[in-house]
Amino acid sequence: MSDNYDVIIIGGGPGGYVAAIRCAQLGLNTACIEKRINKQDEPALGGTCLNVGCIPSKALLDSSWKYHETESALADHGIKIKGADLDLETMLKRKDTIVKNLTGGIAQLFKANKVTWLQGTGQLKSGKQVEFQPLDGDTQTLQAEHVILAAGSVPVDIPVASVDQKVIVDSTGALDFDKVPKRLGVIGAGVIGLELGSVWGRLGSEVVVLEAVDDFLPAVDKQIAKDAQKQFTKQGLDIRLGARVTGSEVKKDQVVVNFTDKGGEQEETFDRLIVAVGRRPYTEGLLSQDAGVSLDERNYIYVDSQCRTDVPGVYAIGDLVRGPALAHKAIEEGVMVAEVIMGESTQVNYDAVPGVIYTHPEVAWVGKTEEEVKDSGDAYKTGAVPFAANGRAMAAGETGGMVKFVADEKTDRILGMHVVGPQASELIQQGVIAMEFGATVEDLQLMVFGHPSLSETVHEAALATDFKAIHVAQRRRKK
Ligand code: FAD
Ligand code: AMP
């Protein structure tokens, strides 16, 4: 094995493996160090996202939705099914097969692109040296022209609810309960808490979500968050805002959780508890004392807008650095850094990174919320149109939610698009494309949208910003 590489990447998640493939495409002699061992005790690429994040959670969200629909949402369509049986073992196995196929696919892509996968742990030292500890074998010192740190993130632990992966679990444990918990507690009403709470709620758990903050989804446009909260509550998710967990005790196969809310000290007993209070950058063991890379005030690796650390030739991407902890953001940073190394002119447009919550209905957004624009003091206009006015949504029985645009009053430029409703994760890409091209709402107003389609609500919302929506009655704001 060679000790010298053009590029060494530490971490083989969506940031790292994409960076590795792009570097190799560009002709660089590339190695990617990844230490992960999967559930089958095999070395695995793909990081959090493919192994214990985006993909397995979406597999369970899709399966659990099909079960819920079959059980209770098809009667309206005139389809009556009695006694649908849940085979949880098969559902979980299906998820594992999807993960295995995808992560195996990355290994194939590495081979095809001649990326060297070094199975083990990497640590950055000074002078762009990397200490590599193989899964078995002796430590080696490798030298690179460029190093990309892509070690990702891990769940935040809170001392008031220590994860044992049996009764109290983190997001990884919550992908593999061996039976549907009768009562399930979730700490944290963030993206992960809501998605995993939804999975088990659809499969029959009584779900209580405890959230310390008083606002629901504070980073999401208020009008959208309010609508989503209403729909989730109607579905049976018991979301308690302003409920801060202060302690917990596992008693036999249950957990007693203490929390405070407006009414004072409270207690709830659950069969399982998911701790979903956020993720933190995974820097343990990644940097030797003399590595020279600085961290920012929140312990993320400090980088500039093109992911350069303050050591020349060393870059950091993905969940290790500022910005949203999202796989697609990590991916685009991986591509950008490979191209920066080659001296190409490239960038990530951080103003147009979409966010999605894969609940039902889905919630998705890109750009600024109405509250952010209002706070900036700039003149703005909004247009919001409900799916209830859309023929395709009615046909599908998916009339909850809306599409909303926020646009600059003077320039007509789209500043943000927000969706709560069916296929929000797909619809939001229209806003991403529009914003990437610097579109105005008028650009969208003038486009022809296929009929009938959910996308027509995107069109109507763009029209609504100028009081031109056809299928909803609008009253012009007084100036
Ligand atoms: P990671 O995917 O965390 O990969 C880093 C890899 O580096 C890991 O495999 C780790 O083993 C390895 N590593 C760390 N240190 C070392 C070392 N010293 N030596 C060798 N290897 C090392 N994002 C979305 O965009 N959409 C979603 O739907 C979504 N759903 C999610 C659901 C869940 C339950 C979770 C937990 C996360 C979800 N995310 C989602 C977030 C997404 O998984 C992360 O943003 C993404 O994985 C970050 O990619 P990354 O490459 O920065 O790091
Ligand atoms: P996110 O970072 O989006 O995954 O969301 C995590 C959520 O967990 C945040 O909204 C936090 O307010 C919430 N949270 C953190 N600690 C606690 C706690 N002790 N009790 C209840 N909620 C918490």
Side-chain angles (χ1 to χ4, degrees):
M1 187 182 76
S2 158
D3 293 342
N4 283 280
Y5 293 92
D6 294 330
V7 185
I8 294 177
I9 295 153
I10 305 180
Y17 85 69
V18 169
I21 291 172
R22 188 72 189 116
C23 284
Q25 280 176 350
L26 292 167
L28 298 164
N29 177 20
T30 306
C32 179
I33 304 178
E34 170 58 66
K35 64 178 181 175
R36 183 176 292 272
I37 302 289
N38 67 12
K39 273 175 71 179
Q40 291 82 25
D41 267 337
E42 300 154 346
L45 292 164
T48 303
C49 172
L50 267 59
N51 289 281
V52 291
C54 327
I55 298 301
S57 62
K58 263 80 266 178
L60 290 185
L61 278 157
D62 282 336
S63 294
S64 61
W65 182 253
K66 283 187 194 296
Y67 175 69
H68 166 78
E69 256 198 328
T70 310
E71 268 244 298
S72 51
L74 293 179
D76 271 0
H77 291 261
I79 305 167
K80 291 192 178 152
I81 297 172
K82 282 200 194 108
D85 272 343
L86 173 65
D87 176 355
L88 183 60
E89 202 183 327
T90 301
M91 194 179 279
L92 298 181
K93 266 197 198 137
R94 173 185 177 275
K95 160 196 63 103
D96 293 340
T97 306
I98 294 165
V99 168
K100 208 166 160 31
N101 288 344
L102 274 173
T103 53
I106 307 299
Q108 291 302 321
L109 285 172
F110 269 21
K111 269 197 196 127
N113 285 283
K114 301 199 170 32
V115 173
T116 305
W117 172 13
L118 299 173
Q119 297 173 356
T121 305
Q123 184 182 65
L124 178 71
K125 303 185 83 74
S126 67
K128 288 178 283 181
Q129 285 195 331
V130 173
E131 194 169 280
F132 169 54
Q133 172 63 62
L135 289 176
D136 45 10
D138 296 332
T139 305
Q140 298 155 33
T141 302
L142 312 175
Q143 180 70 53
E145 283 292 310
H146 308 273
V147 177
I148 305 175
L149 304 171
S153 63
V154 287
V156 167
D157 295 322
I158 43 172
V160 291
S162 287
V163 168
D164 60 16
Q165 295 300 25
K166 286 189 192 109
V167 180
I168 306 180
V169 300
D170 60 17
S171 58
T172 301
L175 297 169
D176 275 306
F177 288 139
D178 56 1
K179 57 179 189 280
V180 179
K182 200 161 175 317
R183 289 204 91 217
L184 173 66
V186 180
I187 310 182
V191 177
I192 293 175
L194 290 172
E195 289 187 1
L196 293 173
S198 296
V199 165
W200 296 102
R202 291 167 193 173
L203 298 179
S205 294
E206 185 190 323
V207 180
V208 178
V209 184
L210 302 171
E211 168 55 59
V213 169
D214 288 326
D215 282 345
F216 183 63
L217 294 174
V220 173
D221 185 275
K222 257 202 171 60
Q223 192 178 358
I224 298 292
K226 213 166 136 198
D227 191 288
Q229 186 185 356
K230 218 162 57 189
Q231 296 197 60
F232 296 155
T233 305
K234 210 166 133 200
Q235 266 166 32
L237 282 185
D238 179 354
I239 302 169
R240 316 244 184 112
L241 300 176
R244 176 172 293 279
V245 174
T246 52
S248 63
E249 194 185 345
V250 175
K251 287 186 177 164
K252 288 193 188 146
D253 206 26
Q254 290 190 315
V255 53
V256 179
V257 176
N258 302 98
F259 59 98
T260 53
D261 65 11
K262 268 193 286 198
E265 310 240 327
Q266 313 288 349
E267 188 181 289
E268 286 281 358
T269 301
F270 300 112
D271 298 294
R272 292 290 179 271
L273 178 67
I274 303 175
V275 181
V277 295
R279 296 182 65 82
R280 61 174 177 82
Y282 185 27
T283 48
E284 280 95 328
L286 180 66
L287 308 168
S288 72
Q289 293 261 329
D290 59 354
V293 167
S294 333
L295 306 183
D296 68 17
E297 64 290 348
R298 296 175 59 216
N299 280 333
Y300 288 87
I301 291 185
Y302 171 77
V303 287
D304 69 8
S305 62
Q306 287 186 311
C307 292
R308 292 179 193 87
T309 68
D310 42 19
V311 176
V314 177
Y315 302 81
I317 59 175
D319 283 9
L320 268 184
V321 304
R322 82 284 175 269
L326 291 168
H328 42 281
K329 177 256 193 189
I331 286 170
E332 294 312 321
E333 288 181 336
V335 171
M336 172 176 72
V337 166
E339 294 175 355
V340 165
I341 287 171
M342 292 304 287
E344 293 182 9
S345 164
T346 177
Q347 61 173 13
V348 171
N349 181 359
Y350 289 102
D351 292 333
V353 177
V356 180
I357 311 177
Y358 291 84
T359 40
H360 196 104
E362 294 177 342
V363 183
W365 62 92
V366 60
K368 292 195 167 73
T369 63
E370 180 174 352
E371 293 71 38
E372 284 171 326
V373 178
K374 196 180 208 166
D375 286 349
S376 74
D378 294 338
Y380 69 95
K381 53 187 177 179
T382 63
V385 167
F387 284 103
N390 178 300
R392 188 70 201 277
M394 279 186 211
E398 299 275 4
T399 49
M402 71 186 88
V403 177
K404 173 175 178 178
F405 278 104
V406 184
D408 188 299
E409 176 79 63
K410 287 197 197 109
T411 65
D412 201 36
R413 277 259 174 114
I414 297 167
L415 301 175
M417 174 177 160
H418 307 272
V419 187
V420 51
Q423 299 192 34
S425 58
E426 301 294 336
L427 294 176
I428 200 63
Q429 207 55 33
Q430 301 181 20
V432 176
I433 294 170
M435 287 182 67
E436 190 65 39
F437 283 91
T440 61
V441 274
E442 189 186 31
D443 290 324
L444 287 189
Q445 291 168 359
L446 293 171
M447 281 179 197
V448 181
F449 284 72
H451 173 78
S453 66
L454 296 173
S455 297
E456 286 178 292
T457 300
V458 176
H459 192 205
E460 286 271 8
L463 289 164
T465 58
D466 290 321
F467 301 91
K468 297 197 273 190
I470 303 295
H471 297 93
V472 286
Q474 284 192 287
R475 228 181 305 143
R476 191 173 274 278
R477 280 190 307 264
K478 284 204 183 104
K479 291 263 174 182

